[in-house]
């Protein structure tokens, strides 16, 4: 089932919902379709264009949602699908300070890594290996990251996500997907 990007009345990205749910919002006049996917949904009497982006008609106040959830997908997008030690294609998640030595599973301490680096590094500190990170890991910021982290994506969403932190992520999503 395709997914649809939902924007607040203010155009802020709110989340991603299944197409059926988005269609209900539009049919109940709670949202307007901003982009269509090109597909049609057929009922008994008519064909409705399937939305790809919808905007709520009424502003919804969203409580502060805390940091972007740390998921494998979001992490790979942040790191461009590349090993943060050597730049090769990443296949695993590495804890910079190993968990066995007190490292936490937080944005500042996880990086995408290739199989080889992850294996060689094992449970050692970077100082012991003389390795350096290509970038200092940090939590991604911007509402767009919540959308990116879901793993759902659609090129039609990008103009709506770019003002909310997806600029850098665009290329990275491409890299992570290839
Ligand atoms: Zn590597």
């Amino acid at each position: 089932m395709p997914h649809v990007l939902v924007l607040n009345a203010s155009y802020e990205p709110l989340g991603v919902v299944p197409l059926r749910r988005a269609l209900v919002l539009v049919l109940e006049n709670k949202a307007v379709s901003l982009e269509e996917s090109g597909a049609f949904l057929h009922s008994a009497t008519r064909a409705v264009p399937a939305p790809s982006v919808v905007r709520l008609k009424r502003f919804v106040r969203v409580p502060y949602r805390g940091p972007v959830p740390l998921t494998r997908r979001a992490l790979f997008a942040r790191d461009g699908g590349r090993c943060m030690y050597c730049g090769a294609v990443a296949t695993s998640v590495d804890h910079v300070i190993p968990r066995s030595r007190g490292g936490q599973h937080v944005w500042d301490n996880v990086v995408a890594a290739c199989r080889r680096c992850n294996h060689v590094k094992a449970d050692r500190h970077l100082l012991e290996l003389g390795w350096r990170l290509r970038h200092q890991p940090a939590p991604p910021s911007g509402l767009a990251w919540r959308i990116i982290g879901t793993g759902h994506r659609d090129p039609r969403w990008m103009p709506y996500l770019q003002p909310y932190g997806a600029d850098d992520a665009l290329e990275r999503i491409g890299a992570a997907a290839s």
Side-chain angles (χ1 to χ4, degrees), residues 94-102 117-126 128-129:
D94 183 62
H95 293 87
V96 180
I97 298 171
R99 299 205 82 171
S100 62
R101 299 173 73 168
C117 287
N118 206 336
H119 182 72
V120 170
K121 182 169 170 290
D123 60 353
R124 284 181 286 182
H125 281 290
L126 295 188
E128 298 172 66
L129 291 155

Side-chain angles (χ1 to χ4, degrees), residues 12 15 74 84:
E12 283 182 357
M84 283 279 261

Side-chain angles (χ1 to χ4, degrees), residues 5 16 18 26 37 47-48 54 68 79 81-82 115 137 143 162 169 173:
L5 174 64
V16 170
V26 172
S37 72
V48 182
V54 299
V68 176
D79 293 349
R82 295 279 157 183
R115 197 181 309 275
L143 290 169
Q162 276 165 341
I173 292 168

Side-chain angles (χ1 to χ4, degrees), residues 21 31 49 104 111 113 143:
R21 173 85 188 111
Q104 291 190 305
V111 293
L143 290 169

Side-chain angles (χ1 to χ4, degrees), residues 49-73:
S52 164
V53 180
V54 299
R55 182 170 73 97
L56 298 181
K57 288 191 163 180
R58 290 186 59 174
F59 181 77
V60 174
R61 197 167 292 280
V62 182
Y64 176 67
R65 285 178 286 184
V68 176
L70 174 51
T71 64
R72 184 185 170 91
R73 279 195 187 103

